[in-house]
């Protein structure tokens, strides 16, 4: 089986959970015996073509100059380039069994190739514009994205959602039939401690917090729906009971400067540190060094960052929203709090810091759950099953029966 996977993000251009998902899913699918070709825009360096050590074929397509277009026009022009390269690629490597598109940014190319090749299209939806806007569409730009998302789900033979929450949103917003939806979660790698010993861990921790300070960590994009502003509003309440608590906020985004100003407006600037962008290695070090990782999202289709913290055996507090509620069982693998509620969030943080034994027990439960349910090997098996069921149905359908090749 040869699969063309279209993704707007692939290393070195990775912005969020979508990019990490494709990066880890592709080699896991290769291990399942599937030939995977990732087609992605060349947006941040990288070779035009490479075969990774895991056997993934990566094709990076030069994009037009973004300053010449609005973002939506830029996306459409880039999709046209992706489509042209895909057509050339098929002549070079042979016919693709199916097409797998990740989110709306590659929808135009995926849909065009589906009709040109008469091959089944599968779409994975990682987030929705209406969800990011708290159920509303805030103008023409959002409406256009929403329309592209609907078209991708309509054109797809099957639609993969990363959580039951996302599946429900797809059914509610786009009337996607429930029997067209498959739920395949994100995955995570469980890695050993990044520290050689406790002394090295302590030295790293001391670069961020004193020995008598409790260290709370947030990492993610600095955008409204991640709820970092709620965390900052909660922090004075935390300091009332635990004046030596320190909050480390890592990440970048358009909301960053407003959040920095909010910290000083709340009078907690001395106890909050913004790191800006951090590497995956430093993120993992922080998970292993922190007393708590907190994710106060207002909208979260899945919440892969919480899963990464759980894989590092770091206690977590998350808001009761979206996929976070499915990945974190309250009082079993973490604590869940009311979304957009600083008082509830402060309670969750304080409860975790004041009861470290309970927090550690929940973290150990979470690590076991991650190992059992969220390995990339399991995600690949579930995804490959969607591929095979889709291909079998396509071969039986008049639309594909006459053209159906045998899988490689």
């Amino acid at each position: 089986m040869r699969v063309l996977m279209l993704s707007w993000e692939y290393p070195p251009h990775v912005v969020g959970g979508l990019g990490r998902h494709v990066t880890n899913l592709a080699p896991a699918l290769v291990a399942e015996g599937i030939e995977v070709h990732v087609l992605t825009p060349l947006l941040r360096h990288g070779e035009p073509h490479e075969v990774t050590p895991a056997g993934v074929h990566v094709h990076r397509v030069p994009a037009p100059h973004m300053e010449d277009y609005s973002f939506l026009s830029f996306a459409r022009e880039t999709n046209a380039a992706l489509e042209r390269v895909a057509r050339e690629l098929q002549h070079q490597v042979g016919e693709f069994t199916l097409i797998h598109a990740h989110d709306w940014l590659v929808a135009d190319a995926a849909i065009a190739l589906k009709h040109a090749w008469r091959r089944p299209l599968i779409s994975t939806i990682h987030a929705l514009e209406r969800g990011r806007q708290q159920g509303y569409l805030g103008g023409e730009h959002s409406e256009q994205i929403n329309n592209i998302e609907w078209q991708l789900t309509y054109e797809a033979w099957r639609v993969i959602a990363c959580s039951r929450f996302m599946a429900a949103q797809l059914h509610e917003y786009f009337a996607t039939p429930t029997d067209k939806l498959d739920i395949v979660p994100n995955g995570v790698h469980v890695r050993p401690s990044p520290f050689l010993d406790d002394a090295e861990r302590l030295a790293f921790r001391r670069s961020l917090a004193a020995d008598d300070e409790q260290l709370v960590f947030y990492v993610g994009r600095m955008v409204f729906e991640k709820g970092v502003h709620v965390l900052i509003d909660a922090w004075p309440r935390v300091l009332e009971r635990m004046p030596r608590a320190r909050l480390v906020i890592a990440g970048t985004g358009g909301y960053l400067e407003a959040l920095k100003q909010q910290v000083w407006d709340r009078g907690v600037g001395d106890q909050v540190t913004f790191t800006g962008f951090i590497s995956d290695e430093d993120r993992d070090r922080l998970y292993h060094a922190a007393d708590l990782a907190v994710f106060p999202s207002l909208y979260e289709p899945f919440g892969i960052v919480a899963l990464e913290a759980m894989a590092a055996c770091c206690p977590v507090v998350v808001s009761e929203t979206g996929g976070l509620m499915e990945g974190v069982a309250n009082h079993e693998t973490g604590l869940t709090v009311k979304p957009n509620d600083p008082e509830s969030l402060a309670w969750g943080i304080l409860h975790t810091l004041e009861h470290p034994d309970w927090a550690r027990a929940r973290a150990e439960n979470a690590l076991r759950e991650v190992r059992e349910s969220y390995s990339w090997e399991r995600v690949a098996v579930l995804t490959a099953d969607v591929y095979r069921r889709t291909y079998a149905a396509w071969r039986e359908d008049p639309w594909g029966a006459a053209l159906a090749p045998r899988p490689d």
Side-chain angles (χ1 to χ4, degrees):
M1 179 176 286
R2 181 180 296 122
V3 173
L4 181 67
M5 185 175 292
L6 293 96
S7 173
W8 194 260
E9 298 179 30
Y10 194 83
H13 177 63
V14 174
V15 177
L18 183 156
R20 294 203 292 278
H21 180 98
V22 175
T23 302
N24 290 290
L25 174 62
L29 287 170
V30 172
E32 289 296 309
I34 296 171
E35 182 181 326
V36 179
H37 291 256
V38 174
L39 189 64
T40 188
L42 179 58
L43 297 175
R44 191 181 297 169
H45 311 297
E47 294 296 323
H49 174 249
E50 67 172 315
V51 181
T52 71
V56 180
H57 297 261
V58 184
H59 310 271
R60 297 183 179 90
V61 179
H65 295 292
M66 186 172 180
E67 58 269 18
D68 296 336
Y69 301 92
S70 68
F71 184 73
L72 281 170
S73 296
F74 172 74
R76 291 194 182 279
E77 289 296 320
T78 304
N79 270 258
L82 291 172
E83 181 189 346
R84 286 194 298 270
V85 171
R87 289 173 179 265
E88 296 169 3
L89 184 60
Q90 180 168 254
H91 289 301
Q92 297 169 15
V93 304
E95 293 184 335
F96 288 98
T97 312
L98 54 83
I99 303 158
H100 186 175
H102 291 265
D103 267 2
W104 71 272
L105 277 163
V106 294
D108 284 355
I111 293 168
L113 293 169
K114 164 198 166 179
H115 288 286
W117 295 341
R118 294 178 65 86
R119 292 293 182 268
L121 167 64
I122 293 170
S123 64
T124 293
I125 305 299
H126 296 265
L128 291 174
E129 180 69 11
R130 192 188 297 267
R132 286 188 290 267
Q133 303 294 332
Q134 303 298 297
Y136 299 94
L137 295 174
E140 183 179 356
H141 181 84
S142 289
E143 289 175 358
Q144 289 178 322
I145 294 173
N146 181 76
N147 290 340
I148 298 170
E149 290 172 340
W150 171 82
Q151 186 180 15
L152 178 58
T153 59
Y154 177 81
E155 293 278 358
W157 197 289
R158 297 206 64 79
V159 178
I160 296 174
C162 58
S163 63
R164 294 189 300 274
F165 167 78
M166 274 300 302
Q169 282 207 326
L170 286 162
H171 181 64
E172 177 184 355
Y173 294 159
F174 298 149
T176 306
T178 56
D179 61 1
K180 184 178 177 175
L181 290 161
D182 290 290
I183 298 172
V184 178
N186 275 306
V188 69
H189 292 295
V190 178
R191 298 185 173 91
S193 172
F195 301 111
L196 295 175
D197 50 36
D198 284 342
E200 187 177 76
R201 174 185 174 277
L202 185 58
F204 176 82
R205 193 182 190 281
R206 283 172 174 166
S207 69
L208 295 165
D211 289 354
D212 63 343
E213 289 182 321
Q214 298 82 20
L215 180 56
V216 178
F217 177 43
Y218 166 85
V219 61
R221 291 182 295 121
M222 298 297 136
V223 291
F224 179 80
E225 64 263 26
K226 295 299 181 182
V228 184
H229 58 288
V230 183
L231 175 57
I232 294 170
D233 280 342
W235 204 244
R237 295 171 170 85
V238 173
L239 294 178
E240 287 176 7
R241 292 235 306 260
M242 304 194 79
R244 296 292 291 164
R246 173 160 293 280
L247 175 60
V248 173
I249 299 174
T252 61
Y255 210 40
L256 179 59
E257 293 307 314
L259 293 169
K260 288 181 176 179
Q261 184 60 50
Q262 183 186 355
V263 162
W264 291 106
D265 290 344
R266 298 295 181 272
V268 295
D270 291 336
Q271 291 302 112
V272 178
T273 301
F274 288 90
T275 70
F277 171 82
I278 61 171
S279 66
D280 290 349
E281 292 77 15
D282 277 342
R283 177 205 63 203
D284 292 344
R285 291 185 185 99
L286 268 160
Y287 283 144
H288 282 269
D291 298 293
L292 166 65
V294 58
F295 303 103
S297 300
L298 307 181
Y299 170 73
E300 195 65 73
F302 182 79
I304 197 169
V305 285
L307 206 63
E308 290 167 343
M310 293 159 67
C313 208
C314 180
V316 296
V317 172
V318 305
S319 54
E320 296 172 343
T321 186
L324 288 172
M325 290 188 295
E326 298 173 36
V328 179
N330 195 28
H331 291 291
E332 295 181 18
T333 58
L335 291 183
T336 62
V337 298
K338 298 175 183 177
N340 202 22
D341 188 329
E343 186 173 348
S344 180
L345 182 58
W347 171 85
I349 294 169
L350 288 165
H351 189 285
T352 302
L353 296 178
E354 291 174 344
H355 301 283
D357 291 343
W358 296 354
R360 180 55 49 191
R362 291 193 296 268
E364 291 171 355
N365 290 341
L367 179 58
R368 283 193 293 271
E369 176 67 13
V370 165
R371 291 185 189 276
E372 293 172 4
S373 302
Y374 296 102
S375 71
W376 281 111
E377 293 77 12
R378 180 172 182 268
V379 174
V381 168
L382 294 172
T383 304
D385 178 65
V386 176
Y387 289 174
R388 295 185 179 104
R389 285 188 285 110
T390 300
Y391 182 74
W394 174 76
R395 288 195 59 186
E396 297 299 319
D397 188 271
W399 194 73
L403 299 174
R406 295 290 176 183
D408 294 342

